[in-house]
Amino acid sequence: MINNRFTSDAFLLTELQNGSEQAFNFVFRKYYEGLCFKANGYVNDMDKAQSLVQDCFIKLWEKRDNTEKINNLSAYLSFMVRNRCIDYIRKSESIKTLHDSIAPCQDKNDVECTFISAEFETWLMYKITLLPKKSRIAFEY
């Protein structure tokens, strides 16, 4: 039987801050499934939901030095997943809107379509410059 002291959020957060992979593994196993269902409620795609939740856990691990600011691990992860899902939905909708504005141009070759294509290319190049260096290099390849 596992001692509750070793599974409390405060203990786990302290262990995470100290770089304990076992604590991270325990947190992952404890919360992953529930967070995936929560994310799926936003994006309606379980594969994407799992990917978004994994992104959140990666971010938790990368920012483990700041875990002393977390009072409620469950709520923190839940908000993290919710915000990641909302960002994903916003990004998806803006890409869809952009695609819908360009789609009619595929059959035409007029000035408006040329302008929209040039505008899209400018926007895309700008967004690429905002990516982290390694992501930008991978995208450019």
Side-chain angles (χ1 to χ4, degrees):
M1 184 171 208
I2 297 175
N3 187 337
N4 285 340
R5 178 178 156 257
F6 297 113
T7 61
S8 73
D9 285 353
F11 176 78
L12 291 170
L13 289 168
T14 301
E15 288 299 302
L16 275 175
Q17 193 174 13
N18 293 331
S20 170
E21 291 180 18
Q22 288 178 322
F24 179 79
N25 188 30
F26 186 85
V27 170
F28 183 85
R29 291 177 188 274
K30 182 177 180 181
Y31 293 108
Y32 178 76
E33 187 175 342
L35 291 171
C36 286
F37 283 112
K38 179 181 181 68
N40 190 47
Y42 285 101
V43 298
N44 296 316
D45 177 349
M46 187 53 89
D47 289 336
K48 190 60 187 172
Q50 291 171 339
S51 176
L52 294 170
V53 170
Q54 289 171 9
D55 290 347
C56 291
F57 275 103
I58 290 169
K59 188 173 181 180
L60 176 68
W61 180 253
E62 290 172 346
K63 306 239 182 224
R64 67 188 175 274
D65 295 337
N66 297 324
T67 57
E68 75 274 355
K69 298 174 185 173
I70 301 171
N71 294 322
N72 183 333
L73 183 58
S74 176
Y76 179 82
L77 290 170
S78 184
F79 279 114
M80 222 173 148
V81 168
R82 182 200 69 173
N83 291 341
R84 182 70 180 100
C85 289
I86 290 170
D87 289 345
Y88 168 76
I89 291 166
R90 283 184 185 148
K91 181 180 173 187
S92 297
E93 287 176 357
S94 68
I95 290 172
K96 183 182 181 321
T97 301
L98 191 57
H99 182 270
D100 290 347
S101 71
I102 293 174
C105 293
Q106 293 177 0
D107 296 332
K108 299 179 188 176
N109 192 9
D110 62 9
V111 175
E112 182 182 2
C113 291
T114 303
F115 176 75
I116 290 172
S117 294
E119 187 177 335
F120 171 74
E121 186 174 332
T122 302
W123 175 83
L124 181 61
M125 295 307 289
Y126 171 72
K127 290 296 186 178
I128 290 171
T129 62
L130 297 178
L131 291 172
K133 185 178 180 180
K134 288 183 180 181
S135 298
R136 184 175 62 245
I137 290 169
F139 184 82
E140 288 172 350
Y141 280 127

